[in-house]
Amino acid sequence: MSTDAMLSTAAAVTAAPKRRRMGTSRILLIIAGTLVGLSLVHLLTGADDVTSQGAVQAALQAAIPIGLAGLGGLWAERAGVVNIGLEGQMVLGTWFGAWGSLQYGPWVGLLIGIAGGAVGGLIHALATVTFGVDHIVSGVAMTILAPGITRYLSFITWGSGGATQSPALKPDQTVPRVSVPFVNRLEGLEKHHWFLISDLAGVLRGLLVQVSLVTILAVLLIVLTWVVLWRSPFGLRVRSVGEDPRAAESLGINVYKYKYYGVIISGAMAGLGGVYLSTVSAVIFREGQTGGRGYIGLAAMIFGNWRPGGLALGASLFGYTDALQLRRGSESVHALLILVGALLLALAVWELRRRNNIVAIASAVLGILSYVIFFAVDKIPTALVQAAPYITVLVVLALAAQRLRMPAAAGKRYRRGG
């Protein structure tokens, strides 16, 4: 029996009891159901921005860096290393991406930003894999160290006036945007406000008009991650060292090497997320630009149960709630309470049937609270709107915690032959 066949057998034996996975058909069903739900919210409340082109574009722009950070966390934890330093690696990506774009153009800047994040991943791998430093301590150190490094680099590169931000990128220093032909002609259809049809037109325009090539690259990386990790010998080896490094070592796999691969790729993904923030979202580097997206990316990864498809859904959810702040947030969040309350009450019934009483009670209470707030106020306070992405993270993770299974050896110290 080959090494890969033995690894597959070992993975099947050591894995948790089999659960139903979220296949393509179920993901498409969730997307369709969400669109119908948003259309009903639009119809009942008149909140145009829940499905408008601008809202969808803003949601996509907010979701991409979160998704890339989540992909970074996925690669590291599948290799058995917890990467809390994603935030710091994103910071490095923002600075090096902006600097490289200013100096050498958008595509070289993209590569330099990815390399900056990868170097951050290499440092984290050196500390955790080679020297056995606690993964959380190393990740927190990276997150603290990276802003100091970029502040120093900004000072020596752009002077005291540019210590906290770079010069703005010119149009020829940013990655081009593309549109799918004829989709923008759906604008008239969107303005008719017909149930579902106009909402679908707004969503399509938001997803397919003036899309950065970096966005397309990020979507392809989600698919590529699934193919490599679950359909290639390399990915099987990476996952094996994250599940049982002793068993992988006994089959002749260099555990240290594959852990390094996973963490360096993790840093590169986070670095690309940082490049997106400084060269696509804002076309300028600013201090504090990541805004905690590395941590939200980790939350999206956990929401997705350490799998790319679920991660993409989580990033989309968190990105959408974040984007609502820019699109008449008080009105939009208030309208969405109808859908949120219905989903929570439906989840309560589902969990009650499965005898999961704690989650059922919590979901029912939150669902009822959503409707109480909806009928009690006309607009959501601005402070609560700004906190919506973080509240969403906490609620989703709390309700999903019982179905999650992280890689068995993630975060554990490994020593060869030990």
Side-chain angles (χ1 to χ4, degrees):
M1 184 181 291
S2 67
T3 299
D4 291 339
M6 288 188 286
L7 281 174
S8 297
T9 303
V13 172
T14 58
K18 187 175 181 180
R19 296 173 183 265
R20 292 182 64 186
R21 291 178 179 173
M22 190 176 292
T24 303
S25 59
R26 295 184 69 190
I27 291 175
L28 292 176
L29 186 61
I30 290 172
I31 293 172
T34 301
L35 180 58
V36 171
L38 291 175
S39 299
L40 284 171
V41 169
H42 185 190
L43 179 68
L44 294 173
T45 66
D48 294 335
D49 272 320
V50 295
T51 57
S52 68
Q53 178 196 9
V56 174
Q57 281 183 331
L60 183 63
Q61 189 165 283
I64 292 300
I66 294 173
L68 287 169
L71 276 183
L74 176 66
W75 273 95
E77 296 205 15
R78 282 294 177 180
V81 178
V82 175
N83 190 359
I84 295 294
L86 288 169
E87 181 79 5
Q89 290 148 18
M90 288 188 77
V91 170
L92 294 175
T94 59
W95 193 91
F96 282 102
W99 176 81
S101 297
L102 287 167
Q103 296 293 321
Y104 306 107
W107 294 111
V108 176
L110 186 74
L111 295 176
I112 292 175
I114 292 172
V119 170
L122 176 62
I123 294 171
H124 185 55
L126 186 67
T128 56
V129 178
T130 300
F131 294 108
V133 176
D134 181 86
H135 298 193
I136 304 301
V137 171
S138 175
V140 171
M142 169 61 63
T143 301
I144 294 173
L145 181 64
I149 292 174
T150 55
R151 168 68 76 91
Y152 174 72
L153 291 174
S154 295
F155 183 81
I156 64 174
T157 303
W158 299 306
S160 58
T164 59
Q165 69 177 41
S166 71
L169 275 65
K170 299 176 182 177
D172 62 345
Q173 294 172 328
T174 60
V175 175
R177 294 176 179 267
V178 296
S179 299
V180 175
F182 309 115
V183 172
N184 207 32
R185 295 182 181 179
L186 297 174
E187 181 179 4
L189 190 60
E190 181 184 356
K191 291 181 178 179
H192 280 295
H193 300 298
W194 292 334
F195 174 71
L196 193 58
I197 296 175
S198 295
D199 298 295
L200 181 60
V203 170
L204 289 176
R205 291 182 68 226
L207 294 177
L208 300 177
V209 174
Q210 287 296 301
V211 179
S212 170
L213 291 178
V214 184
T215 299
I216 298 173
L217 174 61
V219 174
L220 292 176
L221 284 174
I222 293 174
V223 178
L224 184 62
T225 293
W226 179 82
V227 172
V228 172
L229 282 179
W230 275 270
R231 291 294 184 271
S232 75
F234 174 81
L236 180 59
R237 288 176 168 85
V238 170
R239 289 188 293 119
S240 70
V241 302
E243 291 290 345
D244 193 338
R246 308 293 174 199
E249 180 186 35
S250 70
L251 295 173
I253 292 176
N254 188 330
V255 175
Y256 286 158
K257 181 172 72 172
Y258 281 92
K259 283 182 178 288
Y260 264 88
Y261 286 155
V263 182
I264 291 172
I265 293 173
S266 171
M269 294 284 187
L272 179 58
V275 175
Y276 188 93
L277 288 172
S278 62
T279 66
V280 177
S281 295
V283 297
I284 189 173
F285 162 77
R286 288 193 180 94
E287 196 172 76
Q289 197 164 29
T290 55
R293 288 177 177 83
Y295 301 115
I296 299 178
L298 278 175
M301 176 200 68
I302 296 170
F303 169 83
N305 209 6
W306 289 265
R307 298 185 69 88
L311 182 157
L313 287 178
S316 300
L317 172 64
F318 302 144
Y320 183 72
T321 55
D322 190 20
L324 289 181
Q325 301 178 46
L326 308 175
R327 309 292 303 184
R328 288 187 286 185
S330 295
E331 176 187 336
S332 299
V333 173
H334 181 262
L336 282 175
L337 288 174
I338 295 178
L339 179 60
V340 171
L343 291 174
L344 286 169
L345 291 176
L347 178 62
V349 173
W350 173 260
E351 294 294 349
L352 189 62
R353 292 181 61 185
R354 299 175 62 193
R355 301 180 185 275
N356 205 346
N357 295 331
I358 295 177
V359 176
I361 293 171
S363 300
V365 170
L366 291 173
I368 293 170
L369 181 61
S370 298
Y371 283 114
V372 169
I373 295 174
F374 177 80
F375 289 109
V377 299
D378 294 327
K379 288 187 177 181
I380 303 297
T382 302
L384 192 58
V385 173
Q386 293 173 344
Y390 309 102
I391 295 173
T392 303
V393 170
L394 292 174
V395 171
V396 168
L397 291 184
L399 296 178
Q402 297 188 20
R403 68 172 181 84
L404 303 176
R405 179 190 175 272
M406 69 184 299
K412 296 181 180 178
R413 187 172 180 266
Y414 165 79
R415 279 291 171 264
R416 182 178 292 143

